[in-house]
């Protein structure tokens, strides 16, 4: 039994990287606006469908389709913030969360209209291979997902820590009013972060489409996993979102194998309950309270 | 006499159905230090926030150098040179003194180093602690960072909201010295201050806010007792 442990950790890490990316993209929006984007999962799903439409529908090469899907979701996130959230930003915080939820349901409804009864199995743009390291199997999917997410994380880390723009972003995360006091256009910043969050989410959707069949309800499951990873890592922490995602991926594989396969489905629901009861600030949390 | 630098006429502002300012008028000349006094809740912060754009005036006009500011959001008034040190300071808590200062001039990239050296020259204490995280500093030191950050953009008008508020006595006199130095450098200032002695010691002129309007204007050598009566009675 224990001989399979390294294999489970490797596969779990690969899924976990995807969760990490989704949780990170939700955290970006949350840190920028203090709104939990309950529609985020559906943006991820929309990204997955967009790459399918651009790729198989319009016959564009995969990388072009991917770039277009990401750009489209950036524009959608930006526009949603500008047109739907900014007008009510002075109102009750809860209505912002409800609006985010409504945006998600609208996207999901649109996907259902078009693909309601279908399950789409997009094809991979690369041959499916396996590599053996000792007795651990690494698939091309694992390598592509882990490699892309790690590259992206490195780029984001550099952007935030090293560039002047990164300083401005961090400053605005820390104090919105402080940011406005030094001349930062905070409403524009919110729109850019909604766009950026949706674009990162779309990239997650693209990778998800490599390993999962697409259904219009994909966003539901995605939101739960992203939320679980955020809670586990510590709500609002960027590093925590990444660590939480990877841990969640490994945990569900271990529980699924050693305890019961049902855990692969329900770990994402159990984790937030346990974390909120035992350690509400999560593993690397900075804030114990989630404003909805 | 040339036109004043900052001119407010009939400024009305409030929150939802609660109106706080009912027609504020004043002129502030270049290089002048004006103290804005008034009872608690009389709308002093609201007026500063209306000038900087955090509160949108419902009526009236605010002109800087003849250009209308009323209705502009804070990042636009900032670019015109209205820079506020707010009552809550609103610093970047997880960043160092140095980073906070630099962000104060992020709109003028090239100049940041020169401006920062100037701020450090007037605040040696900040220079000593330039690497320290702002969250871990005392209230008085944080207030210095907030003033320093505001000076980084070379404001045309500096708005100070209770710079000595909530500080230990030792810091109150230090802040008083800083404000006095700013006045000597002829920084145009509008200062809200509960500490009357501090306010009277630096102000060229005093405005008293009462019932949502400027009830009284006096020269800086006004009698303390007389002012207290104006504010509260
Ligand atoms: N954000 C706000 N929402 C609603 N009412 C406010 C807000 N800020 C201030 N007020 C009210 O407006 C009035 C003036 O407040 P303020 O300008 O802060 O007074 P001051 O600075 O002179 O103490 C007070 O009655 C206060 O309760
Ligand atoms: Mg006040």
């Amino acid at each position: 039994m224990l001989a399979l442990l390294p294999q489970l950790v490797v596969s779990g890490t690969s899924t976990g990287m995807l969760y990490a990316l989704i949780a990170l993209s939700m955290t970006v929006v949350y840190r920028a606006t203090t709104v939990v984007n309950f529609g985020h999962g559906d943006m991820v799903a929309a990204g997955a469908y967009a790459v399918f439409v651009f790729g198989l529908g319009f016959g564009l090469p995969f990388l072009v389709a991917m770039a277009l899907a990401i750009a489209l979701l950036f524009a959608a996130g930006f526009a949603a913030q500008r047109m739907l959230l900014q007008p009510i930003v002075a109102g009750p915080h809860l209505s912002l969360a409800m609006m985010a939820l409504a945006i998600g349901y609208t996207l999901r409804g649109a996907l259902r209209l078009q693909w309601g009864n279908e399950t789409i199995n997009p094809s991979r743009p690369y041959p499916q291979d396996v590599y053996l390291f000792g007795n651990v199997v690494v698939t091309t999917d694992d390598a592509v997902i882990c490699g892309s997410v790690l590259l992206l994380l490195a780029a984001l880390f550099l952007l935030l820590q090293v560039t002047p723009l990164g300083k401005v972003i961090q400053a605005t995360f820390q104090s919105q009013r402080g940011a406005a006091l030094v001349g930062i256009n905070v409403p524009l910043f919110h729109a850019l972060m909604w766009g950026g969050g949706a674009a990162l989410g779309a990239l997650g959707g693209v990778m998800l489409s490599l390993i999962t069949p697409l259904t219009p309800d994909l966003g539901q499951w995605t939101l739960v996993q992203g939320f679980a990873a955020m809670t586990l890592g510590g709500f609002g922490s960027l590093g925590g979102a990444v660590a939480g995602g990877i841990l969640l991926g490994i945990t569900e594989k271990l529980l699924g194998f050693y305890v019961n396969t049902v855990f692969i489905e329900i770990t994402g629901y159990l984790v937030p309950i346990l974390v909120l009861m035992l350690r509400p600030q999560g593993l690397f949390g900075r804030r114990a309270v989630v404003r909805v | 006499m040339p036109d004043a630098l900052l001119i407010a006429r009939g400024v009305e502002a409030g929150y939802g159905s609660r109106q706080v300012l009912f027609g504020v008028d004043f002129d502030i000349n270049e290089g002048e230090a004006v103290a804005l006094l008034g009872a608690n809740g009389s709308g002093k912060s609201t007026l500063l926030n209306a000038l900087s754009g955090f509160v949108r005036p419902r009526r009236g006009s605010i002109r800087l150098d003849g250009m209308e500011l009323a209705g502009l959001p804070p990042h636009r008034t900032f670019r015109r040179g209205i820079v506020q040190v707010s009552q809550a300071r609103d610093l970047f808590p997880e960043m160092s003194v140095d980073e906070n200062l630099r962000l104060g001039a992020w709109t003028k990239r090239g100049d940041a180093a020169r401006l920062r050296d100037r701020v450090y020259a007037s605040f040696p204490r900040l220079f000593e602690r330039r690497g320290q995280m702002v969250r871990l500093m005392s209230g008085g030191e944080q207030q210095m960072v907030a003033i320093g950050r505001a000076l980084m953009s070379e404001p045309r008008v500096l708005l100070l909201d209770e710079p000595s508020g909530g500080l230990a006595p030792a810091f109150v006199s230090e802040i008083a010295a800083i404000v006095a130095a700013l006045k000597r450098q002829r920084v145009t200032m509008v200062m809200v201050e509960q500490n009357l002695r501090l306010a009277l010691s630096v102000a060229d002129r005093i405005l008293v806010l009462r019932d949502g309007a400027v009830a009284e204007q006096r020269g800086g050598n006004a009698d303390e007792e007389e002012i207290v009566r104006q504010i509260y009675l």
Side-chain angles (χ1 to χ4, degrees):
Chain A
M1 290 286 271
L2 270 185
L4 268 172
L5 188 63
Q7 179 66 59
L8 291 168
V9 171
V10 167
S11 325
T13 304
S14 170
T15 324
M17 285 282 182
L18 254 178
Y19 296 163
L21 177 56
I22 290 161
L24 186 69
S25 59
M26 286 174 75
T27 303
V28 165
V29 173
Y30 173 71
R31 282 294 293 281
T33 64
T34 72
V35 176
V36 179
N37 182 0
F38 288 108
H40 194 78
D42 297 302
M43 292 190 159
V44 172
Y49 273 92
V51 79
F52 165 74
V53 169
F54 287 130
L56 291 182
F58 297 170
L60 297 170
F62 180 78
L63 286 179
V64 176
M66 179 172 103
L68 284 177
I70 290 170
L72 179 70
L73 265 288
F74 179 89
F78 186 93
Q81 199 286 334
R82 277 269 131 139
M83 300 192 309
L84 301 172
L85 288 143
Q86 190 60 34
I88 59 168
V89 84
H93 209 256
L94 185 61
S95 41
L96 295 169
M98 297 315 287
M99 182 64 90
L101 188 63
I103 293 169
Y105 271 103
T106 307
L107 280 175
R108 195 180 303 181
L111 296 179
R112 277 200 191 137
L113 272 181
Q114 188 63 31
W115 293 286
N117 309 317
E118 294 174 60
T119 299
I120 293 167
N121 288 292
S123 58
R124 292 173 179 75
Y126 48 80
Q128 225 179 330
D129 262 324
V130 294
Y131 310 94
L132 265 181
F133 295 92
N135 52 3
V136 176
V137 176
V138 176
T139 65
T140 324
D141 290 338
D142 294 336
V144 166
I145 290 172
C146 291
S148 320
V149 174
L150 284 175
L151 259 177
L152 184 80
L153 289 179
L156 284 178
F157 181 82
L158 284 179
L159 169 73
L160 279 176
Q161 296 298 327
V162 178
T163 68
L165 177 66
K167 280 279 175 255
V168 170
I169 293 174
Q170 284 196 49
T172 314
F173 281 176
Q174 290 178 24
S175 169
Q176 311 222 352
R177 178 149 167 137
L181 284 170
V182 299
I184 292 167
N185 183 344
V186 174
L188 176 64
F189 177 81
H190 285 176
L192 288 172
M193 289 295 124
W194 265 81
L200 283 178
L203 183 63
V206 170
M207 282 187 235
L208 203 55
S209 75
L210 299 176
I211 55 167
T212 319
L214 303 185
T215 67
D217 288 345
L218 183 64
Q220 172 70 39
W221 173 83
T222 313
L223 178 70
V224 170
Q225 305 301 326
F227 195 78
M230 279 177 89
T231 316
L232 180 58
F235 226 87
S237 156
L238 295 169
V242 174
I246 295 172
L247 267 177
L248 180 67
I250 296 174
T251 307
E252 69 177 26
K253 284 284 187 315
L254 293 184
L255 291 178
F257 183 80
Y258 289 114
V259 184
N260 190 314
T261 50
V262 77
F263 277 100
I264 292 193
E265 299 294 323
I266 64 169
T267 303
Y269 292 96
L270 291 180
V271 159
I273 297 174
L274 286 176
V275 171
L276 291 175
M277 282 189 344
L278 301 177
R279 192 181 156 84
Q281 75 274 31
L283 298 174
F284 310 94
R286 22 188 311 126
R287 268 166 260 192
V289 189
V290 177
R291 282 177 72 203
V292 167
Chain B
M1 198 179 147
D3 269 356
L5 177 63
L6 184 68
I7 301 175
R9 290 289 176 269
V11 173
E12 298 184 23
Y15 307 92
S17 61
R18 168 144 174 44
Q19 188 161 351
V20 176
L21 303 177
F22 291 87
V24 171
D25 303 303
F26 59 74
D27 288 23
I28 289 163
N29 297 308
E30 182 127 37
E32 203 178 17
V34 172
L36 179 64
L37 307 180
N40 243 329
S42 60
K44 304 179 298 291
S45 295
T46 304
L47 178 53
L48 293 193
N49 284 327
L51 298 176
S52 57
F54 282 96
V55 168
R56 199 187 164 93
R58 294 172 183 177
R59 276 223 179 82
S61 136
I62 298 162
R63 269 170 297 147
L64 180 76
D65 270 338
M67 301 235 268
E68 187 59 52
L69 295 184
L72 293 186
H75 67 274
R76 306 258 320 263
T77 64
F78 177 89
R79 277 158 210 251
R80 299 281 183 83
I82 304 268
V83 180
Q84 184 177 16
V85 177
S86 57
Q87 204 165 350
R89 301 186 193 112
D90 299 298
L91 295 166
F92 306 119
E94 310 281 328
M95 290 189 176
S96 68
V97 171
D98 207 64
E99 290 170 312
N100 269 271
L101 292 185
R102 265 198 276 182
L103 280 158
W106 80 281
T107 50
K108 342 186 131 192
R109 291 169 211 285
D111 272 359
R114 177 184 61 85
L115 293 162
R116 192 179 32 156
D117 289 347
R118 230 181 50 183
V119 168
Y120 282 143
S122 15
F123 298 84
R125 192 201 277 269
L126 291 188
F127 183 70
E128 285 164 28
R129 289 172 174 57
R130 63 192 176 278
Q132 194 169 338
M133 200 186 278
V134 160
R135 176 167 61 79
L136 303 173
M137 302 177 96
S138 70
E141 289 168 336
Q142 291 188 1
Q143 188 62 263
M144 286 181 203
V145 179
I147 296 174
R149 185 180 72 177
L151 293 172
M152 286 293 288
S153 61
E154 301 189 293
R156 306 229 42 213
V157 180
L158 182 65
L159 309 177
L160 294 168
D161 200 343
E162 303 206 18
S164 81
L167 300 188
F171 272 115
V172 173
S173 48
E174 204 160 332
I175 294 289
I178 288 167
V179 176
L182 292 176
K183 180 185 163 156
R184 278 195 302 279
Q185 296 162 27
R186 298 210 14 104
V187 175
T188 311
M189 272 187 285
V190 181
M191 174 174 59
V192 169
E193 184 52 67
Q194 293 285 355
N195 185 325
L196 259 193
R197 191 149 316 142
L198 197 168
L200 294 178
S201 72
V202 288
D204 296 314
R205 205 148 48 87
I206 286 159
L207 304 180
V208 177
L209 200 58
R210 198 173 159 157
D211 303 323
V214 174
E216 182 75 17
Q217 302 206 24
R218 288 160 177 273
N221 51 3
D223 175 32
E224 204 169 314
E225 239 173 83
E226 191 53 40
I227 294 283
V228 171
R229 199 166 306 139
Q230 262 307 325
I231 297 174
Y232 296 103
L233 301 181

